């Protein structure tokens, strides 16, 4: 039967795209069998569901064809490696149990958190707190920023790091909603004392998404006391929020001042280079070998959040597995288009852009792609380059080719320069924005 499983894998390998095979079949192991039954172990529940919904028939058919009779295939999920998808539940660890391990999401660590100028400070603060929890200057630590930018990731990374350093550390990680629900249910069950005891016995309190505390006065009151108690005992508190405490409505003043009393750090959307780095990392994690120009294309168009980047990769993988095709530029374009909405102006050419910039700046098209360094000309060129990149997502090298064979560092420099000027120079900001809108609009 061992060989039989190897045969099945061989067969699947021959029929599936490499990355699909590597992602979904390489990690499966045969852990038991009888004459007409195979027991396969998959790394986690998600994996199981994926196999079940996408490959079950293919596996069964292959087995049957090879064996010539009916083979029953059973799956089990590997226990140890099973990640918790539930990230909001309370974890309370004590020396007797290791239950915390199930609740801190092990996938979120500092080592797989990609750093960029957008999150550098937040990451450093989180790491400092994780290395020596309870230090006054960093207590509480509040991480705020938009959705999908890594706040929850950092929160779990802190917990994981602390547990790695000191196994007996007591950690509670909960969303503010969970805190609220626990509190309410403790009132219903007449167990508010147990509730506060549990929360106040922890060494580290990690609370995700405190914006949900808004307008819940009783819960805030409860949290205020928990907070004070922990703080006075030098216990670390880390919170995340999608906005600044001062922007939260319905928050009592004293809680607001507690939230702001420590260190407040923000996470911003990733810049281009960070997006590239994140995509490459996520692709690798998923066993995808993506050519650089595709990565660059995706990084140019998918900008809003890391979660979006991640799900684009997963989409790609899903598409190519389902339709059994290799990932090529067409597929990447299709997925990207889908994610940023139809009418995305991907088909416009560099010539169109230069033409439009020439009209707007009254500078000759030939000059724009030429070599003159006169200031207005160089500026029009840089704007064109910037727009090529923003609107078309062309690779730096290709843009370079279009603009008289300039190398990619020159092109990158031009993009950066305009990026900066948009913010500091009103005239350029206005010009670029209106050109961008114009060009985009004309294509919808
Ligand atoms: P938030 O809590 O800010 O809404 P999450 O922490 O849930 O965002 O992040 C969304 C997804 O993006 C997660 O899968 C997370 O691992 C990933 N992610 C976010 N930032 C980074 C980063 N800097 N490096 C690697 N992965 C990241
Ligand atoms: Mg979150």
């Amino acid at each position: 039967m061992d060989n039989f499983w190897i045969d099945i894998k061989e067969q699947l390998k021959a029929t599936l795209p490499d990355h699909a095979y590597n992602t979904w079949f390489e990690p499966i192991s045969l852990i038991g069998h009888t004459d007409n039954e195979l027991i396969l172990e998959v790394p986690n529940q998600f994996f199981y569901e994926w196999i079940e919904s996408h490959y079950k028939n293919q596996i069964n058919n292959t087995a049957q064809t090879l064996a010539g009779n009916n083979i029953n295939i059973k799956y089990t999920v590997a226990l140890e490696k099973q990640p918790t998808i539930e990230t909001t539940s309370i974890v309370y660890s004590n020396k007797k149990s290791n239950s915390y391990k199930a609740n801190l999401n092990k996938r979120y660590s500092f080592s797989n958190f990609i750093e960029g100028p957008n999150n550098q400070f937040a990451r450093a603060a989180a790491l400092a707190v994780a290395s020596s929890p309870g230090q006054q200057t960093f207590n509480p630590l509040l991480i705020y920023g938009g959705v999908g930018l890594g706040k929850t990731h950092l929160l779990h990374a802190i917990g994981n790091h602390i547990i790695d350093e000191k196994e007996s550390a007591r950690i509670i990680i909960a969303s503010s909603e969970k805190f609220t629900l626990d509190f309410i249910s403790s009132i219903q069950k007449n167990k508010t004392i147990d509730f506060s005891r549990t929360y106040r016995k922890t060494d580290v309190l990690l609370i995700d998404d405190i914006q949900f505390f808004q307008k819940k006065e009783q819960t805030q009151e409860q949290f205020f006391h928990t907070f004070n108690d922990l703080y006075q005992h030098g216990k670390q508190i880390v919170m995340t929020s999608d906005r600044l405490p001062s922007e939260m409505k319905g928050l009592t003043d004293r809680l607001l001042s507690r939230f702001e009393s420590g260190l407040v750090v923000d996470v911003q959307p990733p810049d281009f280079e960070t997006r590239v780095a994140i995509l490459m990392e996520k692709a690798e994690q998923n066993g995808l070998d993506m050519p650089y120009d595709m990565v660059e294309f995706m990084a140019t168009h998918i900008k809003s959040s890391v979660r979006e980047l991640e799900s684009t990769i997963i989409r790609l993988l899903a598409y190519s597995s389902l339709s059994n095709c290799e990932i090529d530029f067409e597929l990447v374009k299709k997925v990207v288009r889908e994610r940023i909405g139809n009418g995305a102006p991907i088909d416009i050419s560099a010539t169109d852009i230069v033409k439009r910039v020439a009209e707007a700046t009254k500078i000759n098209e030939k000059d724009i792609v030429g070599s003159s360094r006169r200031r207005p000309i160089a500026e029009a060129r840089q704007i064109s380059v910037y727009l090529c990149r923003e609107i078309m997502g062309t690779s730096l090298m290709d843009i370079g080719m279009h603009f008289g064979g300039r190398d990619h560092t020159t092109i990158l420099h031009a993009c950066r320069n305009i990026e900066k000027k948009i913010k500091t120079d009103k005239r350029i900001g206005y010009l670029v924005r209106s050109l961008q809108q114009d060009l985009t609009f004309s294509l919808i």
Side-chain angles (χ1 to χ4, degrees):
M1 277 312 242
D2 286 325
N3 286 335
F4 180 55
W5 171 236
I6 293 171
D7 290 344
I8 295 179
K9 288 214 304 189
E10 286 292 316
Q11 189 79 28
L12 290 168
K13 191 172 183 162
T15 49
L16 290 165
D18 277 354
H19 60 84
Y21 176 83
N22 292 338
T23 307
W24 303 111
F25 293 96
E26 217 34 273
I28 300 182
S29 43
L30 175 67
I31 58 165
H33 58 79
T34 61
D35 282 348
N36 59 358
E37 186 171 272
L38 289 180
I39 302 172
L40 302 177
E41 188 184 72
V42 296
N44 56 50
Q45 186 66 25
F46 170 72
F47 207 99
Y48 167 71
E49 281 161 17
W50 187 273
I51 296 273
E52 168 84 12
S53 55
H54 296 107
Y55 294 112
K56 194 176 156 198
N57 290 340
Q58 197 164 357
I59 298 176
N60 288 347
N61 294 343
T62 311
Q64 203 162 342
T65 316
L66 286 173
N69 59 4
N70 240 343
I71 297 282
N72 197 6
I73 298 183
K74 284 190 175 159
Y75 297 88
T76 84
V77 173
L79 270 185
E80 274 179 7
K81 294 178 210 146
Q82 190 170 1
T84 23
I85 293 150
E86 178 64 69
T87 57
T88 56
S89 56
I90 290 194
V91 199
Y92 184 63
S93 89
N94 58 34
K95 282 166 194 142
K96 275 173 270 157
S97 88
N98 281 335
S99 61
Y100 59 85
K101 282 202 170 143
N103 292 276
L104 276 170
N105 192 331
K106 277 280 165 198
R107 280 187 312 150
Y108 295 153
S109 66
F110 283 109
S111 61
N112 66 11
F113 186 83
I114 291 165
E115 196 178 330
N118 58 308
N119 60 27
Q120 218 158 29
F121 190 47
R123 182 189 177 276
L127 190 58
V129 159
S131 310
S132 40
Q135 300 275 330
Q136 230 178 19
T137 40
F138 291 171
N139 204 13
L141 173 65
L142 173 64
I143 305 168
Y144 82 96
V147 286
L149 297 180
K151 301 182 298 294
T152 299
H153 188 131
L154 282 175
L155 199 67
H156 282 260
I158 293 173
N160 284 322
H161 188 94
I162 293 174
I163 290 291
D164 283 347
E165 301 265 290
K166 185 171 169 226
E167 230 201 317
S168 61
R170 290 173 297 188
I171 295 182
I172 291 181
I173 183 159
S175 68
S176 60
E177 283 166 303
K178 179 70 177 148
F179 183 94
T180 307
L181 286 177
D182 274 357
F183 174 55
I184 293 171
S185 93
S186 79
I187 296 175
Q188 284 163 348
K189 292 180 193 146
N190 257 334
K191 287 192 166 164
T192 46
I193 295 179
D194 286 357
F195 170 84
S196 26
R197 214 177 269 147
T198 308
Y199 271 93
R200 292 180 199 185
K201 225 162 45 179
T202 190
D203 296 322
V204 181
L205 178 62
L206 308 171
I207 299 280
D208 210 1
D209 292 322
I210 54 166
Q211 69 271 11
F212 293 115
F213 279 144
Q214 288 179 106
K215 300 195 180 118
K216 302 195 179 83
E217 273 175 34
Q218 267 211 68
T219 312
Q220 284 183 31
E221 175 82 13
Q222 188 62 37
F223 188 69
F224 180 75
H225 292 302
T226 309
F227 184 106
N228 285 347
D229 199 67
L230 291 171
Y231 184 79
Q232 274 153 21
H233 289 92
K235 305 300 167 80
Q236 180 71 48
I237 300 148
V238 185
M239 302 170 290
T240 73
S241 167
D242 70 356
R243 66 205 76 170
L244 274 170
S246 56
E247 288 164 359
M248 289 187 213
K249 296 199 181 81
L251 201 65
T252 59
D253 285 346
R254 55 183 194 170
L255 199 53
L256 174 65
S257 77
R258 285 294 182 280
F259 287 168
E260 290 177 333
S261 63
L263 181 65
V264 179
V265 294
D266 69 336
V267 283
Q268 292 290 332
D271 62 5
F272 176 75
E273 283 82 2
T274 313
R275 297 200 293 277
V276 168
I278 288 170
L279 282 167
M280 303 226 284
E281 166 74 20
K282 303 282 172 192
E284 195 185 311
Q285 278 171 18
N286 285 288
L288 257 183
D289 189 14
M290 281 219 300
Y292 183 72
D293 56 347
M294 291 189 202
V295 173
E296 220 191 69
F297 181 83
M298 290 165 75
T300 304
H301 289 288
I302 312 276
K303 301 178 181 174
S304 56
S305 77
V306 181
R307 183 171 292 136
E308 273 289 301
L309 292 171
E310 210 168 53
S311 55
T312 309
I313 294 273
I314 292 176
R315 256 296 150 91
L316 263 181
L317 206 66
Y319 257 123
S320 83
S321 310
L322 288 175
S323 53
N324 225 347
C325 61
E326 289 293 340
I327 291 175
D328 59 13
F329 221 104
E330 279 312 302
L331 188 64
V332 171
K333 272 192 185 170
K334 182 175 148 144
V335 170
V336 167
R337 246 204 207 99
E338 234 178 54
R339 300 211 71 87
I340 58 182
N342 277 328
I346 293 175
D347 292 329
I348 192 169
S349 75
T351 314
D352 299 330
I353 289 177
V354 171
K355 193 162 158 222
R356 200 60 77 87
V357 174
E359 281 164 18
T361 57
K362 311 262 185 305
I363 289 185
N364 203 309
E365 277 176 62
K366 278 216 182 78
D367 287 338
I368 293 182
V369 297
S371 57
S372 163
R373 294 191 180 189
R374 274 189 43 226
R375 190 134 175 244
I377 297 179
E379 189 181 279
R381 182 178 307 129
Q382 293 198 336
I383 290 175
S384 310
V385 162
Y386 173 84
L387 290 171
C388 282
R389 160 130 228 153
E390 283 296 301
I391 297 177
M392 297 161 34
T394 319
S395 75
L396 297 171
M397 226 163 68
D398 287 347
I399 300 177
M401 298 286 275
H402 191 88
F403 289 82
R406 291 178 161 81
D407 72 10
H408 73 279
T409 48
T410 314
I411 298 300
L412 189 61
H413 171 77
C415 293
R416 288 238 177 90
N417 195 26
I418 296 297
E419 250 165 50
K420 222 186 308 162
K421 282 196 178 152
I422 289 173
K423 291 183 195 138
T424 54
D425 185 329
K426 272 207 181 120
R427 180 185 57 89
I428 293 196
Y430 179 78
L431 180 63
V432 172
R433 252 194 313 277
S434 60
L435 276 167
Q436 195 160 2
Q437 267 166 13
D438 247 29
L439 283 158
T440 309
F441 189 69
S442 68
L443 278 144
I444 295 177

